[in-house]
Amino acid sequence: MEVKYPYTISETKESTHERCGFLTYCNIPRAVTWIPPSTHNQTQGPLMFGLRTPFCSDLSGHSNLKFSNGSRFMEYLAVEFASDVEQQTPYGNTTQETATFYVKLQLGVNGLTREDSVCVVNTGVHDQILCKEKSDATCLDMYSTNVRWHLSILRQGCGSIIWISTTSVAGDPKYPQTDKSLLEWNRVVNEKLVPSYSEAFYVDVWNLSATSPRNGNIHFQPEYYDTLGSLFTDLM
């Protein structure tokens, strides 16, 4: 299967630096001073590369990207945690605030309103890395708090929010993610968090992910992403 775009792509834009180009791509200035997350019972990213390198992301292999036909556009913003301090600006101390600020800017530039925008979102796999030395209950509380806050930020720029469930994992013991905890996280988001926001909807891809060919512990072969992408392009 190959994803067919809902309109002819005439313009593209992408980040010039995989891990450190988020703010340059958005044309938003950096904060004067980058403030790291509290390391005491840490509840925010980053944890690795982004912690050592201010204004950069832990995430590798993915960066901001835009497809447009001149009047309509689809855009991917690399947000990897429910709450993190990677991309700090004069307008917000978190990546989530910065991303939403950018969405609002783009709506204004294109003569659009909040009601014109649809934001497709997920975090969860990287948040599990924050669970080291935390109990399951403590970690669930951390994630729930961060997702609730993230949704409250998103609604400022998103007329509709589609939360994609976190996918299953292969269960490699070298990594912290487990299906048991991810299923519980998905349940809480679906039953308690998303229903709190009238703009928000939940799409459950767990069963699809559990039966799709994998590429490592958390990633999949292209067929999975093509299937998921087609769900949205068919609706546009």
Side-chain angles (χ1 to χ4, degrees):
M1 179 184 292
E2 182 179 352
V3 174
K4 293 185 170 76
Y5 293 105
Y7 44 78
T8 301
I9 303 298
S10 59
E11 300 174 13
T12 61
K13 174 185 176 182
E14 59 183 310
S15 177
T16 57
H17 192 289
E18 182 182 278
R19 281 180 153 174
C20 304
F22 191 106
L23 294 179
T24 300
Y25 171 96
C26 295
N27 196 27
I28 299 175
R30 294 179 172 185
V32 174
T33 302
W34 187 80
I35 303 172
S38 171
T39 55
H40 174 69
N41 192 33
Q42 187 171 346
T43 61
Q44 291 179 299
L47 290 155
M48 295 173 285
F49 183 83
L51 189 60
R52 301 189 302 270
T53 317
F55 303 103
C56 295
S57 171
D58 282 352
L59 182 68
S60 64
H62 306 278
S63 57
N64 298 352
L65 182 64
K66 181 178 182 179
F67 298 100
S68 171
N69 72 345
S71 59
R72 293 184 292 175
F73 58 92
M74 300 176 288
E75 198 156 13
Y76 169 78
L77 298 177
V79 179
E80 58 182 317
F81 297 96
S83 179
D84 72 77
V85 298
E86 291 172 351
Q87 310 302 335
Q88 297 177 25
T89 75
Y91 313 105
N93 293 325
T94 65
T95 303
Q96 292 68 29
E97 291 168 301
T98 297
T100 301
F101 178 76
Y102 173 75
V103 169
K104 292 161 67 177
L105 285 178
Q106 291 304 295
L107 292 175
V109 166
N110 288 278
L112 302 171
T113 69
R114 171 181 172 274
E115 284 65 34
D116 295 314
S117 67
V118 177
C119 300
V120 181
V121 190
N122 167 266
T123 66
V125 166
H126 286 221
D127 298 88
Q128 292 236 318
I129 305 172
L130 290 164
C131 291
K132 184 178 181 180
E133 298 180 357
K134 294 183 178 71
S135 69
D136 290 347
T138 298
C139 203
L140 176 60
D141 182 66
M142 173 202 72
Y143 180 68
S144 300
T145 299
N146 287 348
V147 169
R148 187 182 300 279
W149 172 82
H150 191 187
L151 288 168
S152 73
I153 297 298
L154 285 169
R155 72 188 309 188
Q156 298 174 21
C158 305
S160 296
I161 303 168
I162 300 176
W163 188 279
I164 304 294
S165 71
T166 302
T167 54
S168 63
V169 296
D172 189 325
K174 295 197 302 289
Y175 301 101
Q177 297 88 358
T178 67
D179 278 355
K180 179 183 176 182
S181 57
L182 289 171
L183 275 169
E184 179 63 9
W185 285 17
N186 281 342
R187 184 190 67 78
V188 170
V189 172
N190 184 29
E191 295 180 5
K192 297 183 178 180
L193 301 182
V194 165
S196 300
Y197 298 88
S198 59
E199 308 92 337
F201 305 88
Y202 183 85
V203 175
D204 191 343
V205 300
W206 183 271
N207 289 341
L208 173 64
S209 71
T211 58
S212 294
R214 295 186 174 276
N215 179 21
N217 192 55
I218 62 174
H219 298 117
F220 298 88
Q221 296 296 331
E223 305 94 278
Y224 167 79
Y225 303 107
D226 289 347
T227 300
L228 184 59
S230 294
L231 169 66
F232 296 101
T233 56
D234 288 347
L235 294 173
M236 296 177 71

